[in-house]
Amino acid sequence: MNQQQYSPCPHCGSNVWDTEAQCRNCHKFIERCSTCRAPVFPGKDTCFRCGAFVSKEPKVQAKATLSGDFIAGREMVLNIAMRNVGNTKTIAKYDLELPETLGGKEIKEEDIKLEAKSTVEREYYFVPKKTGNHSIPSFEVTYKKSDDDESSVKTSPVNFRIDGIPVLDLSIALDGSEIELTEAVHLYVTVSNEGTAVAKNIDFQIFTPPTVFADKKQLLLPSLQVDEQRTSAVKLEPVFDGSHNIKVRVRYQTPATQRRGPRTEEVSSEDLILKVKKVG
């Protein structure tokens, strides 16, 4: 910083150096900007040299932002940050309501203490219900000035898009858990899409020991729509007696979202035990 810089005295107009606490002409104390040391002029809210807020008042800035996956049905966070860039403390408040598609939650805060040069943040959790474009409207943050009058600052609207992803649920069942060696049994594979987008490129894997033959050709499912459920029957033919573990795994592709490209997910069933007895 140039220590030899000078400016007019805010009281009498004569030139004073930035290092001087009092005017040499009128002998009055000079209040200075804490950022650049320029004199503070009465009635001016900002420094004439650097633009910093110099008034003995609070001055609140507010901003709303979002974090999360931006996926329908998943939890997201609305973050509201308030910064008092002024020079005295204040009390702030706000009131807003999220749209119904974002849960319709009412958010109301009062008596938020904001010290000078401090920041206060609040987090609010919500779950978007539908895919598509959404918006959280702008709202006012109101705060008190030194004379108890109110001032306010308005946030910008938050516009964003919610994507969907498929979420598959898998279950398996046998139409008989104990059979004789000469018999066959059917394995029922049920898969449902409980997500918010179509599941594609679905691939089934049936894990059986070599002693149990499974007709895997019966499991063909290229895609599954949202809220759709399908059940397939697979014929199992054991060639040896004893206990045999059965398990199914499904892999499927999720569509691209605004945060990532297509991904392959998988879900596995619980193990089932098929008991095979010797004939007679």
Side-chain angles (χ1 to χ4, degrees):
M1 181 183 294
N2 184 3
Q3 297 295 327
Q4 297 303 311
Q5 193 168 0
Y6 62 85
S7 303
C9 170
H11 308 293
C12 68
S14 60
N15 288 333
V16 290
W17 297 107
D18 286 353
T19 54
E20 294 181 296
Q22 289 178 289
C23 175
R24 287 175 292 171
N25 182 50
C26 68
H27 306 291
K28 291 185 178 180
F29 174 78
I30 300 174
E31 185 180 353
R32 294 191 176 275
C33 171
S34 60
T35 302
C36 70
R37 299 295 299 165
V40 173
F41 284 79
K44 298 293 184 180
D45 289 337
T46 58
C47 173
F48 75 91
R49 183 186 295 167
C50 70
F53 189 78
V54 294
S55 175
K56 293 297 183 182
E57 290 286 348
K59 183 177 176 63
V60 175
Q61 298 173 342
K63 187 176 183 180
T65 56
L66 289 176
S67 60
D69 287 337
F70 291 82
I71 299 294
R74 292 193 179 179
E75 190 174 66
M76 295 190 66
V77 182
L78 170 64
N79 182 281
I80 299 175
M82 296 159 290
R83 176 167 175 77
N84 181 7
V85 298
N87 299 294
T88 58
K89 63 183 179 181
T90 187
I91 301 294
K93 63 181 179 180
Y94 54 84
D95 188 358
L96 69 145
E97 185 172 349
L98 296 179
E100 187 63 32
T101 54
L102 302 179
K105 182 177 181 179
E106 183 181 7
I107 297 173
K108 186 175 183 179
E109 293 280 359
E110 296 181 342
D111 298 327
I112 305 170
K113 296 180 180 179
L114 281 171
E115 298 291 336
K117 312 301 182 185
S118 70
T119 300
V120 172
E121 295 186 354
R122 295 286 190 270
E123 289 184 344
Y124 305 96
Y125 294 84
F126 66 96
V127 178
K129 299 178 180 179
K130 297 182 179 180
T131 60
N133 295 322
H134 298 268
S135 179
I136 297 178
S138 62
F139 60 92
E140 283 189 337
V141 175
T142 305
Y143 60 97
K144 287 186 177 182
K145 301 179 72 174
S146 59
D147 57 3
D148 282 340
D149 284 345
E150 286 191 342
S151 186
S152 65
V153 58
K154 206 168 188 179
T155 65
S156 298
V158 183
N159 301 311
F160 58 101
R161 189 181 91 235
I162 292 296
D163 296 309
I165 60 170
V167 178
L168 296 193
D169 180 71
L170 172 67
S171 63
I172 60 175
L174 295 168
D175 61 1
S177 60
E178 189 171 340
I179 61 173
E180 291 188 346
L181 184 58
T182 57
E183 298 176 332
V185 67
H186 284 94
L187 171 70
Y188 294 98
V189 180
T190 300
V191 60
S192 58
N193 185 357
E194 299 178 356
T196 51
V198 178
K200 296 182 178 180
N201 299 327
I202 300 173
D203 176 51
F204 290 87
Q205 293 178 298
I206 301 179
F207 298 93
T208 60
T211 52
V212 177
F213 173 74
D215 187 3
K216 302 177 184 179
K217 295 180 181 179
Q218 299 179 55
L219 283 178
L220 297 174
L221 189 57
S223 65
L224 195 67
Q225 300 293 325
V226 176
D227 295 329
E228 184 179 9
Q229 177 178 291
R230 294 190 190 181
T231 300
S232 298
V234 179
K235 188 177 181 181
L236 303 181
E237 297 178 285
V239 294
F240 284 97
D241 60 344
S243 295
H244 308 285
N245 286 354
I246 312 295
K247 188 173 185 176
V248 177
R249 179 184 298 159
V250 175
R251 288 191 174 96
Y252 61 98
Q253 190 177 65
T254 66
T257 68
Q258 57 187 319
R259 291 200 163 190
R260 67 188 187 192
R263 294 180 59 176
T264 299
E265 304 284 351
E266 69 175 42
V267 58
S268 298
S269 70
E270 296 182 354
D271 287 358
L272 290 182
I273 297 178
L274 174 62
K275 294 181 180 181
V276 181
K277 302 182 295 182
K278 291 182 180 180
V279 179

